[in-house]
Amino acid sequence: MLTFKETLPGFDTAIVSNRFSRAEVSLYGAQVLSWIPEGGEDALFMGSKAVFERGKAIRGGIPLCFPWFGPRKDDPSLPQHGFARTLPWKPLSFEDEGERSTLVLGLTDSPETMRLWPHPFAAALAISAGAALELTLSVTNTGEEPLEYTDALHAYFRVSEVTAAATDGFEGIGYVDRAEGGAQGIGEPRRGTAGSGGIPFGGEIDRVYGTGERRRIVDGGGKSRITVWSEGFPDTVVWNPGRVKGPAIADLGEGEWSRFLCVEPAAAGTNRIRLEPGATACQRMRIEKEGKR
Ligand code: TA6
């Protein structure tokens, strides 16, 4: 089933639901705000002070970073993480297949996007709610020159306490550390390889891991597990601002820095996606949740 509600004036939310799950998707940014598997709790985190304002990003859910991830290297004055998350998308289609219900949203170039990124394109994000939540991003180069982009599905997963959360799928994988100014391109980013002890949350973690396969978050000592699968994303960004930077983030409520963990399928580093004229790239993420919490 598909219904719409106006979250705030000018901010329409699509509600995609069936007997397996319910997803709320903001047309502003094509951003999944919530995904609740039947009988369980929301798998996604939304900041209690999240701002719904034109030109600003919504803190939580699954923001789409496109056509660049992080600051634009050649012009850091441009919006961080691109423009896809701060523009209105159009509903293109909806299909109920019993097992899953799929809403497709679209965004194409406009004078506004051309000023920021001079490439004609057509993007579609298919959001499919069922026993799993699946997001498929397709980007077509509708121009006459090749284009390149970086991107991420910047998912904020809800955890009961990040310092007690565990991850797997990163053991032995190399990463680039973007913390301590590295994300802003200040100084040489450090590199490392994940050990078997998991990722130590509590301090700032902002890492680009060179893996695009299965990753898992284990919350509350095993009370719930979130598994993130993907295709077409060569990297995974893992981010939590930690106990020093977290409280300084204005659109997070008190203590909320420790209630989420971002695990983001991405083409974030040197792994840019290149499209020849007329070509389409397709990337997919699937999220599964076990456990009620
Ligand atoms: O994905 C990690 C990251 O790029 C961090 O460096 C951090 O800044 C975060 O995204 C949030 O970015 P935002 O622009 O949404 O505040």
Side-chain angles (χ1 to χ4, degrees), residues 9-53:
F11 286 87
D12 289 323
T13 300
I15 302 166
V16 179
S17 60
N18 52 35
R19 64 193 176 89
F20 299 103
S21 68
R22 178 185 196 274
E24 293 201 1
V25 185
S26 165
L27 301 191
Y28 175 76
Q31 188 160 333
V32 179
L33 303 175
S34 152
W35 178 59
I36 307 178
E38 176 54 32
E41 290 181 7
D42 210 320
L44 302 175
F45 166 87
M46 178 55 61
S48 61
K49 292 190 180 166
V51 175
F52 288 76
E53 209 179 297

Side-chain angles (χ1 to χ4, degrees), residues 72-93:
R72 249 271 290 275
K73 300 277 175 295
D74 58 339
D75 187 351
S77 71
L78 294 179
Q80 148 119 323
H81 292 323
F83 49 70
R85 64 179 182 164
T86 53
L87 286 176
W89 288 55
K90 286 203 177 86
L92 299 181
S93 66

Side-chain angles (χ1 to χ4, degrees), residues 229-243:
W229 312 79
S230 69
E231 289 164 34
F233 288 103
D235 305 312
T236 305
V237 179
V238 178
W239 179 62
N240 177 273
R243 58 175 68 87

Side-chain angles (χ1 to χ4, degrees), residues 203-219:
E204 181 189 11
I205 296 289
D206 191 349
R207 299 177 176 176
V208 182
Y209 283 88
T211 179
E213 293 173 12
R214 182 191 67 98
R215 324 76 172 159
R216 182 170 283 159
I217 300 170
V218 181
D219 183 34

